[in-house]
Amino acid sequence: MFDPRLIPALALVLAAGGTALADTPRLDAQRMFPSGEIAFQKICARCHTGREDAVGPDLTANDYDPDTIRHFARHGSGPMPAFTESMVDAVTLDQIAAHLASIRKETEE
Amino acid sequence: MTTQREITVTPDGVSPEQFMQALTRFESVVGPDNVLIGEDRLTPYRKTMMPVADEDYAMSAVLQPTSAEQVQEIVRICNDFGVPVWPTSTGRNFGYGTYAQGSAQGHRHQVVIDFRHMNRILEVDAELGTALLEPGVTYQQLVDYLEENDIPLWVSCPAPSAIASPVGNTLDRGVGYTPYGEHFMMQCGMEVVLPNGDLLRTAMGGVEGSNSWQVFKWGYGPYLDGIFTQSNYGIVTKMGLWLMPKPPAYKPFYIRFRDDDDIAEIVDMMRPLRMANIIPNAVVFAHALWEAPAVIPRSKYYDGPGAMPQADIERMKEAEGFGAWNVYAALYGTPEQIEVNWKIVTDAVRALGKGEIFTQEDMAGTEPFEYRAALMRGGMNLQEFGLYRWRGGGGSMWFAPVTVAKGSETLKQTRMAMEILNRWGFDYCGEYIVGMRDMHHVIDLLFDKTDPEDTRNAHACMTELIQTFRQHGYAVYRTNNAFMEQVADCYGPVQRQVNQTLKRALDPNGIIAPGKSGITV
Ligand SMILES: Cc1cc2nc3c(=O)[nH]c(=O)nc-3n(C[C@H](O)[C@H](O)[C@H](O)COP(=O)(O)OP(=O)(O)OC[C@H]3O[C@@H](n4cnc5c(N)ncnc54)[C@H](O)[C@@H]3O)c2cc1C
């Protein structure tokens, strides 16, 4: 019998050529996160989910200037841990602030 | 370049002049941008949740190497100047010290290595399910890599998942919730910079041209990987680990139990299912006071001083639908296998005559079920940080004694812990994480670090927990920097002597993480 579930597995073996995939470039050398939106989703939004049972407050409900974002990120607050430059760099924090501002603008319009 | 004025502290026993010289040498190796000093850059590193003054555990500088060769050079400089260095991978060891280094007593202000810039995924073998990672690789990064390359392998992560690392977690012998949840068991092969600057590859990694470094743990002769976990004998610069083949089907479920004393029967019901691998994952038995923090603040039901009164706990359980004990487990395999095993599980619950069982469909997107379901398949999630909102004030320590997987034992440990915690004014926020025959009884001692009295009480409570449990033959599997000495004592003088003998042999100048796990020269 032909089992259709085997197709993806087979395709993978062919694609990978049965060998190890390897050696990604250092992430920080090419920017840790490609955009403020992705950085926000992969870190901040895991607590700032916007849901009622979220760990942190909804960050799209208020305006935050880049300085406020930077302050909270570097110092943490209560349950929110501090983030070092090596975790989220200064440029990315500004991009996060811009991303939040753009969501805010959309919802206001 | 570094100026004198920017340095707030120097390592114990190292003069400011020596330290300045060492910093200049560090800068020549990793570059000035990767030697962090000064309040501004160090602030995010210095916050700890321990009931002690953070100043006593503050690092003097942070180094960010980008290669093993740089780490070797760092270690040589440390030997030249007697500067101690504490390695971290991603530094998310919340409740165990975070970036804290040293044990305060004469070992303050070490230099910290932050491996975040060494974050390459060096190899993933899709067929064998193995990976070779640098220490700065986060779980998020690994998961992204697997998804982007369509590799059907799952990671096993601790609850801080996205922001923590496989290497850091495994080196502190942490746990996750999939069938690969005992992380050190799933580790295979390491590269270690030794205190003298040599580069060791463990097991098969020592054989030139070998391709089995990530598949055969033991190599030949004494098995060494273990001595580089929870220790200070070397700095790990690469680590191999095993990844679980993604199963065709996955069925997470939840069983709710009403009474605190049900824990004994839960353990005895689940043990045979776990040992026979019918339920193959690291199952969790979460108490109501662990369940609640994930979704609500304590103030919703109690805002007074001391431990939350039983009557309020009962009121909360009733209103929110929490059990006294909440069991999270999962089945993995083909749909046919899962069907057979589901019948075995539901029959066992029915035979017990208590416990209500719920599937993912029953729970329909609600927390805490969703985050538990994510963790049991290695999904990224931070919902459990709600624990830190429960009481507020930023204080947290894990008290995590090892338990035998027998109902009578859990009943005894739970009662002992509850009595001590409540007497000091703290809640029993506890869960059991189930191993093969053991369980990690994990309790979050949450306190208000902004309140000096609460902080003193937390310290005294932890001391009493460790001592009283010790009198009953129990000890924790891991602890924060402030309690490493006391915990090392629980394991007896001979272990301490052997650890010290190894330390003296490998690191005669005591430059790597003096004080870690109570080990010094
Ligand atoms: C809400 C919450 C839930 C948690 N749940 C879990 C859980 O489910 N399971 C669990 O295990 N933990 C849990 N933790 C504790 C902790 O956050 C995790 O264990 C986390 O993975 C540790 O941080 P890390 O991975 O960044 O390791 P790091 O902080 O980088 O490393 C931890 C320690 O290992 C040693 N080390 C690290 N890297 C090296 C190296 N390269 N060479 C030599 N030694 C090294 C050092 O002593 C270091 O201090 C939880 C914490 C919170 C707040």
Side-chain angles (χ1 to χ4, degrees):
Chain A
M1 271 294 286
F2 179 73
D3 183 347
R5 269 189 322 232
L6 288 178
I7 292 174
L10 192 66
L12 178 88
V13 171
L14 294 175
T19 55
L21 301 146
D23 217 349
T24 57
R26 270 180 43 206
L27 255 195
D28 67 306
Q30 48 159 34
R31 299 299 318 275
M32 208 78 87
F33 301 97
S35 71
E37 181 176 359
I38 289 179
F40 182 76
Q41 278 164 3
K42 295 221 159 130
I43 309 177
C44 322
R46 300 211 180 277
C47 290
H48 300 284
T49 59
R51 286 168 51 134
E52 202 194 329
D53 53 20
V55 175
D58 182 357
L59 295 183
T60 61
N62 284 305
D63 285 325
Y64 300 101
D65 57 37
D67 283 348
T68 309
I69 294 289
R70 209 172 302 127
H71 181 85
F72 274 91
R74 294 289 178 249
H75 294 260
S77 174
M80 174 170 159
F83 292 86
T84 65
E85 173 82 21
S86 63
M87 297 171 189
V88 193
D89 61 35
V91 177
T92 304
L93 284 180
D94 285 348
Q95 290 174 345
I96 289 173
H99 167 66
L100 285 171
S102 74
I103 297 182
R104 185 102 174 105
K105 212 161 150 239
E106 266 170 42
T107 50
E108 270 167 9
E109 268 162 12
Chain B
M1 286 300 279
T2 310
T3 62
Q4 180 99 33
R5 162 171 58 80
E6 287 170 301
I7 296 163
T8 47
V9 287
T10 57
D12 282 344
V14 179
S15 73
E17 294 71 35
Q18 278 174 305
F19 190 57
M20 288 299 289
Q21 286 174 32
L23 285 179
T24 308
R25 293 271 303 277
F26 289 142
E27 283 179 344
S28 71
V29 174
V30 294
D33 282 351
N34 287 316
V35 179
L36 312 189
I37 51 165
E39 284 304 313
D40 240 27
R41 302 183 84 179
L42 295 182
T43 296
Y45 288 91
R46 285 183 168 172
K47 188 177 167 187
T48 92
M49 310 185 91
M50 304 185 292
V52 291
D54 283 351
E55 301 86 82
D56 284 343
Y57 293 84
M59 68 286 300
S60 47
V62 170
L63 308 179
Q64 298 178 312
T66 51
S67 69
E69 293 73 29
Q70 289 187 356
V71 179
Q72 290 174 285
E73 279 306 308
I74 289 171
V75 159
R76 292 186 187 114
I77 297 166
C78 289
N79 275 299
D80 287 349
F81 293 94
V83 170
V85 59
W86 186 285
T88 66
S89 290
T90 43
R92 290 324 208 163
N93 216 3
F94 303 113
Y96 289 119
T98 321
Y99 275 114
Q101 36 59 63
S103 53
Q105 298 132 332
H107 304 294
R108 292 173 310 162
H109 313 318
Q110 302 179 23
V111 167
V112 160
I113 289 184
D114 170 1
F115 269 123
R116 287 264 173 175
H117 288 340
M118 260 173 84
N119 55 26
R120 286 179 307 161
I121 296 168
L122 296 168
E123 198 172 292
V124 171
D125 190 311
E127 289 171 293
L128 291 168
T130 63
L132 181 66
L133 307 176
E134 288 188 336
V137 174
T138 60
Y139 285 103
Q140 178 74 63
Q141 214 183 315
L142 185 55
V143 165
D144 287 349
Y145 179 84
L146 296 173
E147 279 175 6
E148 279 158 22
N149 291 284
D150 247 329
I151 302 172
L153 295 171
W154 277 1
V155 306
S156 174
C157 61
S161 59
I163 57 177
S165 59
V167 177
N169 183 273
T170 304
L171 290 178
D172 228 19
R173 295 206 294 267
V175 292
Y177 304 92
T178 74
Y180 282 33
E182 181 62 272
H183 292 161
F184 185 49
M185 225 181 256
M186 300 301 165
Q187 176 273 342
C188 193
M190 282 179 189
E191 179 184 271
V192 190
V193 172
L194 297 174
N196 66 359
D198 283 354
L199 196 68
L200 167 74
R201 288 190 172 187
T202 62
M204 301 312 290
V207 179
E208 225 180 293
S210 167
N211 60 2
S212 52
W213 192 20
Q214 268 62 68
V215 296
F216 186 61
K217 286 162 77 89
W218 320 123
Y220 175 75
Y223 170 68
L224 294 176
D225 296 48
I227 69 165
F228 298 107
T229 63
Q230 287 193 6
S231 80
N232 50 17
Y233 303 145
I235 300 178
V236 175
T237 46
K238 291 185 181 68
M239 195 191 82
L241 78 160
W242 293 341
L243 301 170
M244 175 183 162
K246 179 182 174 188
Y250 166 62
K251 187 181 180 72
F253 59 94
Y254 162 53
I255 320 174
R256 179 169 63 192
F257 289 86
R258 298 269 162 202
D259 299 317
D260 275 352
D261 285 356
D262 288 343
I263 186 64
E265 286 162 287
I266 297 171
V267 171
D268 292 332
M269 175 191 73
M270 295 296 276
R271 184 187 49 249
L273 299 175
R274 177 75 179 94
M275 281 178 67
N277 256 349
I278 289 164
I279 298 177
N281 74 311
V283 174
V284 163
F285 310 147
H287 189 264
L289 291 182
W290 184 295
E291 195 82 340
V295 285
I296 53 171
R298 186 177 191 253
S299 53
K300 187 167 174 189
Y301 291 93
Y302 180 67
D303 216 1
M308 188 168 179
Q310 193 60 36
D312 294 304
I313 297 176
E314 293 305 328
R315 199 160 54 83
M316 177 189 75
K317 276 159 58 179
E318 197 54 41
E320 303 282 342
F322 302 139
W325 290 101
N326 304 275
V327 175
Y328 292 96
L331 303 177
Y332 307 74
T334 64
E336 295 82 358
Q337 285 172 314
I338 287 186
E339 200 181 318
V340 172
N341 287 335
W342 181 242
K343 182 169 182 319
I344 298 174
V345 171
T346 48
D347 282 353
V349 175
R350 199 169 312 117
L352 187 65
K354 55 171 90 165
E356 306 152 86
I357 193 159
F358 302 90
T359 63
Q360 188 147 29
E361 293 71 42
D362 298 329
M363 301 311 290
T366 55
E367 296 289 4
F369 184 88
E370 279 307 307
Y371 99 78
R372 291 294 187 182
L375 288 178
M376 290 188 291
R377 60 170 169 74
M380 300 297 96
N381 191 289
L382 297 179
Q383 189 68 29
E384 204 162 80
F385 277 76
L387 277 165
Y388 292 161
R389 170 188 56 184
W390 179 244
R391 203 167 162 138
S396 162
M397 282 182 283
W398 304 105
F399 174 68
V402 175
T403 317
V404 169
K406 286 189 177 168
S408 52
E409 287 290 295
T410 44
L411 207 54
K412 180 179 165 191
Q413 279 209 2
T414 305
R415 283 181 183 156
M416 268 169 52
M418 246 184 219
E419 190 278 318
I420 296 169
L421 284 156
N422 291 351
R423 187 155 38 73
W424 284 102
F426 302 111
D427 292 334
Y428 171 81
C429 298
E431 69 173 11
Y432 287 90
I433 306 176
V434 183
M436 295 297 281
R437 287 161 180 78
D438 69 292
M439 297 194 292
H440 292 49
H441 182 188
V442 180
I443 300 165
D444 201 350
L445 203 176
L446 295 165
F447 62 98
D448 182 354
K449 197 170 167 168
T450 64
D451 178 333
E453 195 189 332
D454 219 38
T455 305
R456 271 196 305 277
N457 285 344
H459 197 287
C461 180
M462 183 73 160
T463 307
E464 182 178 336
L465 282 167
I466 295 170
Q467 276 323 109
T468 306
F469 272 65
R470 178 184 183 175
Q471 282 158 16
H472 291 263
Y474 300 129
V476 299
Y477 89 102
R478 183 177 174 192
T479 197
N480 68 66
N481 300 55
F483 291 89
M484 283 178 179
E485 275 292 315
Q486 196 188 343
V487 169
D489 268 342
C490 298
Y491 283 83
V494 180
Q495 282 195 22
R496 292 204 74 161
Q497 273 156 28
V498 172
N499 288 342
Q500 187 172 52
T501 303
L502 288 172
K503 182 71 176 165
R504 287 175 175 164
L506 290 169
D507 185 13
N509 297 328
I511 54 119
I512 296 188
K516 174 79 185 177
S517 300
I519 306 167
T520 57
V521 178

